[in-house]
Amino acid sequence: MSLFELNAQLDAFEKALDEEAFEQADSLLDGHDSTLHALLSQPLGSADHAPLSALLERQQSLLGLLRQRRDAVSVQMQDGRRSLRAAHAYLQAESLA
């Protein structure tokens, strides 16, 4: 278990997200979490502080990206529901005419 491996897992996770391979991304994230817990269960030295901080920043950045994507999808879903309601209202009004 190494920081190199953790960063490689995040690289693969980002790639899977970009390709919208969400099942693969989920699996990669599970593996990343397991690797991170294994690394953190070992004694760490002061030299590990900066690389772990950089990894945490990277994880936080990815969380921000996921939130943005979630919010964008939420807006699209709301727009779709509004469009569907409008189409139904239009069809209903047309059938009454």
Side-chain angles (χ1 to χ4, degrees):
M1 270 100 345
S2 69
L3 288 167
F4 177 78
E5 184 179 352
L6 287 164
N7 277 297
Q9 289 171 333
L10 287 182
D11 290 340
F13 175 73
E14 280 184 287
K15 184 177 183 224
L17 282 180
D18 288 342
E19 295 172 355
E20 297 186 2
F22 300 120
E23 287 183 29
Q24 180 185 9
D26 185 47
S27 175
L28 288 165
L29 198 55
D30 284 344
H32 176 78
D33 186 56
S34 296
T35 304
L36 180 59
H37 283 329
L39 177 70
L40 294 176
S41 71
Q42 301 172 5
L44 300 172
S46 60
D48 296 319
H49 179 74
L52 279 172
S53 292
L55 182 71
L56 178 61
E57 277 185 40
R58 188 165 179 210
Q59 289 173 332
Q60 293 302 314
S61 176
L62 281 170
L63 283 173
L65 175 65
L66 289 172
R67 284 185 198 104
Q68 288 174 352
R69 289 186 178 185
R70 178 205 59 206
D71 293 346
V73 167
S74 176
V75 167
Q76 288 176 345
M77 288 175 64
Q78 289 171 357
D79 289 347
R81 284 191 289 263
R82 272 194 296 272
S83 295
L84 188 58
R85 283 192 304 267
H88 283 290
Y90 176 79
L91 288 172
Q92 187 175 20
E94 189 177 81
S95 70
L96 295 174

